[in-house]
Amino acid sequence: MSDPQTPDAEPAAPEESGAPAELDYVEPEAEYVELEVAEGAEVDERGPTAVTTKVRRGVNMRGWIALGLGLGVILAFVFTYVFPEHEEFSRGQVLGFLLVFVTALTTIIVVGIAAIVDFFIGRRTRKITLTREQ
């Protein structure tokens, strides 16, 4: 058996620990999660009672997609009924064509804007303390 307190020890194989493989604890990779023991936190057999980590706010992409879809539908209706009717196509055909292409185009543009906003908002990180209930 390996000692869980030593960082260089390899984890025990599932058959050695007696637990099924899906129930074994998987140590998070350090490059994805940066945790530090908080000041004044106690460390027991389950780990520290409080840790500090960095978090960042992200953009709600569903809202931006909905905005792009709504804007595209409104623009399709405006373009269909503002301009004179075409001789070869009915207004319904023009509306359908514009709904498909204008809505897709506006959604792509708005999601691009959201990605740029997310890039600048994502730069700001802050440290928070996570505490574990006893």
Side-chain angles (χ1 to χ4, degrees), residues 19-61:
E22 65 270 0
L23 296 179
D24 276 352
Y25 174 74
V26 177
E27 188 73 30
E29 295 182 22
E31 62 186 332
Y32 296 113
V33 179
E34 295 180 21
L35 296 176
E36 300 171 0
V37 177
E39 291 184 30
E42 299 174 6
V43 179
D44 57 12
E45 66 276 353
R46 295 188 308 167
T49 57
V51 293
T52 57
T53 187
K54 293 180 181 178
V55 293
R56 73 173 194 93
R57 261 187 89 105
V59 172
N60 181 4
M61 284 299 215

Side-chain angles (χ1 to χ4, degrees), residues 26-120:
V26 177
E27 188 73 30
E29 295 182 22
E31 62 186 332
Y32 296 113
V33 179
E34 295 180 21
L35 296 176
E36 300 171 0
V37 177
E39 291 184 30
E42 299 174 6
V43 179
D44 57 12
E45 66 276 353
R46 295 188 308 167
T49 57
V51 293
T52 57
T53 187
K54 293 180 181 178
V55 293
R56 73 173 194 93
R57 261 187 89 105
V59 172
N60 181 4
M61 284 299 215
R62 289 180 293 194
W64 287 89
I65 290 172
L67 175 68
L69 289 172
L71 183 62
V73 169
I74 291 169
L75 283 175
F77 274 101
V78 168
F79 290 158
T80 300
Y81 292 105
V82 166
F83 297 110
E85 190 170 352
H86 197 273
E87 305 93 38
E88 295 181 37
F89 305 108
S90 68
R91 286 207 189 264
Q93 290 173 319
V94 172
L95 177 63
F97 176 79
L98 289 176
L99 279 173
V100 169
F101 291 104
V102 172
T103 303
L105 183 65
T106 57
T107 303
I108 290 170
I109 291 171
V110 168
V111 167
I113 293 170
I116 293 169
V117 168
D118 186 46
F119 176 75
F120 287 109

